[in-house]
């Protein structure tokens, strides 16, 4: 069984095995705002860093992103029990000590507090405009 360990919390996650087989056992765990946990395989995170390195050091958005990614972020390795541990500052901020949901987002995993997910979906429902935007994208 593959799991993501969130401090003392363990989350079952079938997508972890595929990520490990494709990218290895090192991950960058971070967030842009502290409301969720993003788990990037190191290869994917390195590609993000390469793109950022091409931008000017005066680019404000780049600096905002890096400040947050560095504050919440940490390189982690999967432990012998198949867990990826989330840094305490991020675990606290994202409120992942209780029930969480794990979402596969193509090249990273996102872990969110279950109650927060339900609140966000309720407060920001899928609309006709959303359906139209997907249709325009050919989805």
């Amino acid at each position: 069984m593959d799991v993501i360990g969130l401090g003392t919390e363990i989350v079952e996650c079938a997508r972890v095995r595929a990520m490990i087989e494709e990218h290895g056992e090192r991950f960058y765990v971070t967030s842009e705002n502290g409301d969720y946990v993003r788990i990037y395989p190191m290869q994917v995170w390195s590609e993000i860093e390469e793109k950022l390195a091409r931008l000017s050091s005066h680019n404000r958005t780049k600096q905002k992103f890096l400040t947050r990614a560095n504050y919440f972020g940490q390189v982690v390795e999967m432990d012998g029990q198949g867990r990826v541990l989330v840094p305490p500052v991020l675990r606290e901020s994202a409120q992942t000590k209780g029930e969480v949901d794990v979402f596969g987002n193509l090249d990273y995993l996102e872990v969110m507090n279950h109650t927060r997910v339900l609140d966000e979906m309720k407060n920001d429902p899928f609309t006709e405009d959303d359906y139209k935007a997907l249709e325009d994208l050919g989805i």
Side-chain angles (χ1 to χ4, degrees):
M1 175 184 321
D2 301 315
V3 297
I4 297 173
L6 303 172
T8 59
E9 305 295 322
I10 304 270
V11 178
E12 297 180 21
C13 185
R15 286 190 158 237
V16 173
R17 175 62 53 208
M19 288 176 71
I20 292 167
E21 289 174 359
E22 185 174 349
H23 299 289
E25 296 185 3
R26 294 184 73 220
F27 300 89
Y28 194 74
V29 178
T30 192
S31 181
E32 284 109 16
N33 62 16
D35 288 347
Y36 51 79
V37 176
R38 284 203 177 157
I39 302 173
Y40 293 94
M42 277 309 295
Q43 178 183 345
V44 173
W45 184 253
S46 293
E47 292 168 6
I48 291 170
E49 287 181 333
E50 288 172 11
K51 290 176 185 176
L52 290 167
R54 291 191 290 266
L55 298 174
S56 166
S57 62
H58 298 290
N59 183 300
R60 300 271 305 144
T61 302
K62 171 186 172 178
Q63 292 307 317
K64 267 172 85 169
F65 175 78
L66 287 174
T67 297
R68 286 155 179 80
N70 289 321
Y71 176 76
F72 292 114
Q74 184 174 324
V75 175
V76 298
E77 290 193 28
M78 183 169 290
D79 70 11
Q81 296 179 324
R83 295 177 296 182
V84 173
L85 299 178
V86 175
V89 67
L90 180 52
R91 186 172 59 244
E92 184 70 30
S93 177
Q95 300 174 1
T96 56
K97 290 184 178 184
E99 191 174 352
V100 298
D101 295 313
V102 179
F103 302 99
N105 286 311
L106 302 179
D107 61 357
Y108 65 89
L109 297 175
E110 191 162 274
V111 182
M112 293 181 69
N113 174 287
H114 178 69
T115 302
R116 186 176 278 168
V117 171
L118 295 178
D119 288 345
E120 283 187 19
M121 287 193 300
K122 180 181 178 184
N123 293 327
D124 189 18
F126 215 78
T127 66
E128 290 299 320
D129 289 339
D130 295 318
Y131 285 112
K132 175 69 172 127
L134 287 176
E135 182 180 332
D136 291 346
L137 293 170
I139 299 173

